[in-house]
Amino acid sequence: MAGDRPGRKRSEASRAAILEATRDELTAEGYDRLSIDRIATAAGVGKQTIYRWYPSKSELVADCILAGYIVRPVIMTPDTGDVRRDIAAWIRSFAKESRTPSAASLTRAITAAAAEDNAVAAHFQDQVTITQETLVTRLRAGVDAGQLRKDTGVSTVAETVVGALLYRILTRQELDDVFVDELVELIFSGIAGDQAP
Amino acid sequence: MAGDRPGRKRSEASRAAILEATRDELTAEGYDRLSIDRIATAAGVGKQTIYRWYPSKSELVADCILAGYIVRPVIMTPDTGDVRRDIAAWIRSFAKESRTPSAASLTRAITAAAAEDNAVAAHFQDQVTITQETLVTRLRAGVDAGQLRKDTGVSTVAETVVGALLYRILTRQELDDVFVDELVELIFSGIAGDQAP
């Protein structure tokens, strides 16, 4: 990006316009169909300006993420007193959100940017940590209530759930009801303690 | 890449040299520390040639993958007659291989390239399918032998195992023994049928 020179203000305005247009384009079209042409038109800048600042799609998306233009919603885990129902509800909410046109594509974009860029990875890690914390907290309460085995590896369970869902998105498969139901059954028949049904 | 013009042969030789140097650099240094400078030197080409052909790291890695220069080993699942022991052995082999210096980084590189490029995604999907098939086949034999529940969702189990492992790699965490043991316990206490211990 431009440093302290006469054009700096104009550059900052252009950068903001590009990042806004990128966010809108990602939301409307998704990562796979992201068009630099359309972003340039929407931002009112030349295509070459975008290519000069961002040689790759992932660098453009990375700047969008780090500048706070792209935020994935964090889904909180409910607590109804029934841990299986609550974790299943969280998985269903995540799956439902991922079926919106842009969400899966946006997740792939964030993953690509995080794999390429350590700063994005650290930022992404914060979001991931919050997501896992909501699952871990609910699982721990389930252990305390005797609904889950005392030796449940709560972090491993949370990571396995998120990993399985992310894997389906990365391999471009839908998070359909069959997968969700089988995942819940797999996880719970594994961790259900003696007070579970 | 260059088309049918006088410099075509030289371009093809340069491309091969760049891709070979990229593979060597990835193996020695990993994706995060990939240096275009060192690749250019090793390939005997100018840095600008690489940037002209490959504006981003992921495009360079993508071409490496599609041209067959980068191949991740496919780990086969043993069949000793004890399905839990065999799946656990596969997970341990995968984890051990991932702890070699370049493997985790290479996995992140492939994931980034696959997220950016549909052709790489399709190629990656083939490798993923082979990996999953070896797990699915072993799980199915376990169901037939009565060691696993009759209603085991074998594909979901295979995807969950691979997804959990990939997730640890993407979030830059080691696949240590505690994680591996907890994952095996989680999976098997979930799918162990009435002939299991």
Side-chain angles (χ1 to χ4, degrees):
Chain A
M1 285 298 310
D4 280 308
R5 16 171 227 161
R8 195 165 64 90
K9 266 199 183 157
R10 199 168 140 196
S11 289
E12 278 174 10
S14 296
R15 176 181 174 234
I18 291 168
L19 296 182
E20 256 176 60
T22 301
R23 178 201 54 207
D24 294 345
E25 170 82 6
L26 271 173
T27 309
E29 299 292 332
Y31 190 58
D32 303 334
R33 287 183 299 276
L34 195 79
S35 157
I36 301 295
D37 264 339
R38 279 194 299 262
I39 292 170
T41 305
V45 303
K47 221 164 64 162
Q48 286 313 313
T49 302
I50 299 182
Y51 284 122
R52 197 166 61 243
W53 289 345
Y54 306 106
S56 72
K57 270 164 67 167
S58 66
E59 283 169 80
L60 177 55
V61 173
D63 202 26
C64 251
I65 294 166
L66 292 174
Y69 285 82
I70 297 177
V71 182
R72 287 271 295 149
V74 172
I75 299 163
M76 301 308 287
T77 316
D79 190 345
T80 67
D82 178 339
V83 68
R84 178 174 170 137
R85 181 197 289 178
D86 294 340
I87 297 292
W90 184 91
I91 293 175
R92 268 185 212 106
S93 298
F94 185 100
K96 192 181 167 197
E97 202 269 333
S98 296
R99 284 194 297 260
T100 59
S102 64
S105 180
L106 188 56
T107 300
R108 284 196 294 275
I110 294 172
T111 306
E116 287 225 330
D117 185 312
N118 285 330
V120 176
H123 183 93
F124 175 64
Q125 189 57 46
D126 288 345
Q127 277 210 306
V128 161
T129 303
I130 296 167
T131 299
Q132 277 177 207
E133 254 336 290
T134 173
L135 287 170
V136 163
T137 301
R138 186 63 194 90
L139 289 165
R140 213 167 264 148
V143 171
D144 291 344
Q147 291 178 5
L148 300 178
R149 286 166 50 179
K150 290 280 170 236
D151 63 349
T152 301
V154 288
S155 292
T156 296
V157 174
E159 288 180 321
T160 299
V161 167
V162 177
L165 297 168
L166 183 63
Y167 183 71
R168 290 281 289 198
I169 293 172
L170 290 179
T171 54
R172 292 167 162 77
Q173 298 175 87
E174 194 169 283
L175 288 169
D176 55 32
D177 290 342
V178 172
F179 181 81
V180 166
D181 290 346
E182 288 187 353
L183 178 60
V184 171
E185 180 63 18
L186 167 62
I187 296 295
F188 273 86
S189 301
I191 58 173
D194 48 30
Q195 288 189 36
Chain B
M1 285 299 309
D4 281 307
R5 16 169 227 161
R8 193 165 66 91
K9 267 200 183 155
R10 200 168 140 194
S11 291
E12 279 174 7
S14 297
R15 177 181 173 235
I18 292 168
L19 296 183
E20 257 176 60
T22 303
R23 178 201 55 208
D24 295 345
E25 171 82 4
L26 271 173
T27 309
E29 300 292 332
Y31 190 58
D32 302 335
R33 285 182 301 275
L34 196 77
S35 157
I36 301 295
D37 264 338
R38 279 193 300 261
I39 292 171
T41 305
V45 303
K47 221 164 65 164
Q48 285 315 313
T49 303
I50 300 182
Y51 283 123
R52 197 166 62 243
W53 289 346
Y54 307 106
S56 71
K57 269 164 67 166
S58 67
E59 283 169 81
L60 177 55
V61 172
D63 201 26
C64 252
I65 294 166
L66 292 174
Y69 285 82
I70 297 177
V71 183
R72 287 271 296 149
V74 173
I75 298 164
M76 302 307 288
T77 315
D79 190 345
T80 66
D82 178 340
V83 69
R84 178 174 170 138
R85 182 197 291 178
D86 294 341
I87 298 292
W90 184 92
I91 293 174
R92 269 186 211 107
S93 298
F94 185 100
K96 192 181 166 196
E97 202 269 332
S98 295
R99 284 194 297 260
T100 59
S102 64
S105 180
L106 188 55
T107 300
R108 283 196 295 274
I110 293 172
T111 306
E116 287 226 330
D117 184 312
N118 285 329
V120 176
H123 182 92
F124 175 64
Q125 189 57 46
D126 288 346
Q127 278 210 308
V128 161
T129 303
I130 296 168
T131 298
Q132 276 177 208
E133 255 334 293
T134 174
L135 287 171
V136 163
T137 302
R138 186 64 194 88
L139 289 165
R140 214 168 263 146
V143 172
D144 292 343
Q147 292 178 3
L148 301 178
R149 286 165 50 176
K150 290 279 171 238
D151 64 348
T152 301
V154 288
S155 293
T156 296
V157 175
E159 289 180 321
T160 300
V161 167
V162 178
L165 297 170
L166 183 63
Y167 183 72
R168 290 281 290 198
I169 293 172
L170 291 178
T171 54
R172 292 168 163 77
Q173 298 176 85
E174 194 168 287
L175 288 168
D176 55 32
D177 290 342
V178 172
F179 181 80
V180 167
D181 291 346
E182 287 188 352
L183 178 60
V184 171
E185 179 64 19
L186 166 63
I187 296 296
F188 273 86
S189 301
I191 60 175
D194 48 32
Q195 288 191 36

